[in-house]
């Protein structure tokens, strides 16, 4: 029989470091570590699932008690990501602070670091995910391949850029964009002017002739040790990622180039935790960096069932500076289809049993109210080939959210 746990004992620690104080992890419930996450969305919810298995207590800074991670049992601190007092409250309760989204005030994170808190990713790495102009400028300066780009203040700047790189061009909001919001393909100066009239900072990019979009998910510890998952193929519809296939159906040379780029970026920006790097692959096999996310990422969702260790488990292990888990796949292929809320409200409770008739289907529902275009869950199917796995995942997704498949 193991001895009973001692309240307030030092944790067994990581790499021999004991942790005590208000963020102390050892307690009567056998908690191994206490991790704080800013944001309580679906990424925090899936991190909570992973935390449970490792005896980690996840505490989240959430906007309300109805956020997906709080519904899944994460300890909640209620507050916004720009509220320094709330961030301090979270940091003081935990051993390490991490993030479920990018919309966190980097200056506040720097204040937490200055006060001695562990914050992963740190504010410098986070800026690469927050500000597309900063990311493009720094990655280009570091020698990484990125699309031609420049900062623009007005339509004349866009026209000057297009004179060199040809219309149409891509306008991107520097900050705040996601799921294609803040990304506009424009074909002339008038279209550019109306996008810029929305205000905020913009950059313009050359339109890359994309053959395939891929993502590389890597997990990195503070000292640089890392593991990387097989390259994932991502399919976007109107800027929203709708499907994933792991491993990507690209030549080995392309996969290894993408992997090398992602690992080099993780090292260059000092990322800790999961880093996802989205890349464009052109028909001749050129690989260009699109954007980086310094947190668990939609493109890594197939790792939950498809990999020996999920991205969420490896994120926790990385930010705690624990040994990382195997990223090998459990099946030849994993296919994931995102569930997007439609214009018609759907009753998931009625639909779910029909989707589950196919026993290969793994359904993840995020506990979010369905709204048009909003990611409310995903479905993963493992298999021997991409087409069959995708077909099964699409069928299940249709049964769950398509208006045509509504139960009669
Ligand atoms: N320079 C480009 N050339 C061609 N297509 C592009 C370019 N930039 C973006 N796109 C298309 O728009 C999509 C969304 O762009 P991006 O990933 O930059 O924006 P986002 O809305 O921030 O995405 P996310 O939801 O992944 O954060 C890309 O996945 C790609 O399909
Ligand atoms: Mg993107």
């Amino acid at each position: 029989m193991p001895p009973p746990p001692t309240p307030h004992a030092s944790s067994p620690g990581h790499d021999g470091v004991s942790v005590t104080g208000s963020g102390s992890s050892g307690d009567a419930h056998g908690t191994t570590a206490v991790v704080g996450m800013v944001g309580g969305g679906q990424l925090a919810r899936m991190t909570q699932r992973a935390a449970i298995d490792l005896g980690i207590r996840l505490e989240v800074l959430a906007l309300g008690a109805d956020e997906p991670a709080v519904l899944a049992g994460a300890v909640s601190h209620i507050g916004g990501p720009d509220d320094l007092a709330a961030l301090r409250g979270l940091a003081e309760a935990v051993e390490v602070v991490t993030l479920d989204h990018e919309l966190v005030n980097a200056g506040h994170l720097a204040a937490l670091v200055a006060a001695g808190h562990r914050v992963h990713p740190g504010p410098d790495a986070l800026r690469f995910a927050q500000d597309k102009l900063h990311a493009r400028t720094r990655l280009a300066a570091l020698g990484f391949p990125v699309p031609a780009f420049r900062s623009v203040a007005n339509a004349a700047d866009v026209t000057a850029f297009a004179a060199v790189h040809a219309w149409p061009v891509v306008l991107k909001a520097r900050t705040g964009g996601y799921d294609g919001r803040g990304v506009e393909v424009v074909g002339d100066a008038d279209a550019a002017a109306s996008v810029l009239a929305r205000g905020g900072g913009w950059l313009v990019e050359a339109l890359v002739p994309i053959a395939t979009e891929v993502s590389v998910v890597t997990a990195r510890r503070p000292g640089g040790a890392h593991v990387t998952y097989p390259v994932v193929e991502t399919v976007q519809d109107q800027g929203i990622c709708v499907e994933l296939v792991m491993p990507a159906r690209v030549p080995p040379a392309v996969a290894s180039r993408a992997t090398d780029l992602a690992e080099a970026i993780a090292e260059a920006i000092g990322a800790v935790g999961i880093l996802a790097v989205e890349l464009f692959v052109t028909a001749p096999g050129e690989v260009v960096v699109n954007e980086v996310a310094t947190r668990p990422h939609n493109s890594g969702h197939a790792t939950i069932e498809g990999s020996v260790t999920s991205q969420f488990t490896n994120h926790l292990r990385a930010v705690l500076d624990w040994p990382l888990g195997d990223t090998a796949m459990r099946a030849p292929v994993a296919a994931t289809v995102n569930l997007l809320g439609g214009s018609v409200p759907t009753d998931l409770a009625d639909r779910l049993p029909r989707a589950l008739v196919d026993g290969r289907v793994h359904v993840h529902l995020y506990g979010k109210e369905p709204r048009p275009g909003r990611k409310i869950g995903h479905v993963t199917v493992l298999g021997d080939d991409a087409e069959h796995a995708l077909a099964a995942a699409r069928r299940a997704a249709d049964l769950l959210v398509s208006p045509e498949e509504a139960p009669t």
Side-chain angles (χ1 to χ4, degrees), residues 132 147 170 172 177-181 183 205-208 210 213 236 239 278 280 290-291:
K132 289 181 175 181
V170 183
K172 288 191 172 177
Y178 69 100
D179 284 351
R181 273 170 260 198
V183 176
E205 288 185 3
L207 182 74
V208 177
I210 301 170
E213 291 194 55
Q236 348 295 314
E278 297 179 6
F280 300 145
N290 178 26
E291 60 171 349

Side-chain angles (χ1 to χ4, degrees), residues 302-328:
T303 65
I304 297 174
E305 290 86 12
S307 307
V308 172
T309 314
S310 83
Q311 64 162 344
F312 300 100
T313 298
N314 266 335
H315 184 70
L316 287 166
R317 288 161 68 151
V319 300
L320 284 161
D321 204 9
W322 289 353
L324 299 171
D326 192 353
T327 53

Side-chain angles (χ1 to χ4, degrees), residues 138-385:
R138 294 282 299 125
L139 291 176
L142 290 163
F144 292 103
V146 298
F149 73 98
R150 65 164 283 187
S151 172
V152 287
N154 51 48
D157 290 344
V158 181
T159 303
F161 181 87
V164 179
H165 298 282
W167 298 100
V169 294
V170 183
L171 280 174
K172 288 191 172 177
R174 281 184 64 171
T175 59
Y178 69 100
D179 284 351
R181 273 170 260 198
V183 176
E184 301 288 347
V185 178
V186 292
D188 56 39
D190 286 348
S194 70
V195 170
L196 298 180
R198 294 182 205 162
W202 293 82
L203 60 150
V204 65
E205 288 185 3
L207 182 74
V208 177
I210 301 170
T212 313
E213 291 194 55
V214 298
S215 171
V216 179
V217 176
T218 185
R220 184 174 179 276
R221 290 173 66 175
H226 61 274
V227 292
T228 304
Y229 292 91
V231 177
V232 174
E233 184 177 333
T234 65
V235 179
Q236 348 295 314
D237 181 12
Q238 293 166 45
I240 302 183
C241 176
V242 289
E243 292 181 351
L244 320 169
V245 177
M246 178 169 72
R249 293 164 289 182
V250 294
V254 168
S256 84
R257 171 80 174 138
T259 303
D260 289 349
L261 286 170
E263 291 180 343
I265 289 172
E267 183 68 28
I269 74 174
V272 173
I274 291 287
L275 177 81
V277 180
E278 297 179 6
L279 307 116
F280 300 145
V281 183
T282 63
E286 191 193 3
V287 182
V288 181
V289 177
N290 178 26
E291 60 171 349
V292 302
T294 50
R295 51 164 171 76
H297 193 250
N298 191 177
S299 65
H301 288 357
T303 65
I304 297 174
E305 290 86 12
S307 307
V308 172
T309 314
S310 83
Q311 64 162 344
F312 300 100
T313 298
N314 266 335
H315 184 70
L316 287 166
R317 288 161 68 151
V319 300
L320 284 161
D321 204 9
W322 289 353
L324 299 171
D326 192 353
T327 53
M329 290 187 64
R330 292 179 182 276
V333 169
T336 295
V337 174
N338 283 330
L339 302 176
L340 302 178
S343 46
V344 182
T346 50
D347 186 344
L348 292 169
D350 281 349
R351 287 164 167 255
L352 182 59
R354 291 174 61 200
L356 296 177
V357 167
D358 182 344
R360 297 169 298 170
V361 165
H362 298 277
V363 177
H364 295 257
L365 299 174
Y366 303 153
K368 288 162 74 172
E369 199 185 312
R371 279 197 226 123
R374 190 183 206 199
K375 290 177 187 143
I376 57 168
H378 72 267
V379 174
T380 296
V381 174
L382 308 187
D384 291 328
D385 73 90

Side-chain angles (χ1 to χ4, degrees), residues 39-59:
Q42 67 260 28
L43 301 174
R45 180 181 175 100
M46 290 183 269
T47 304
Q48 164 69 359
R49 293 184 65 212
I52 289 168
D53 281 347
L54 290 171
I56 295 168
R57 188 168 77 234
L58 187 71
E59 305 204 3

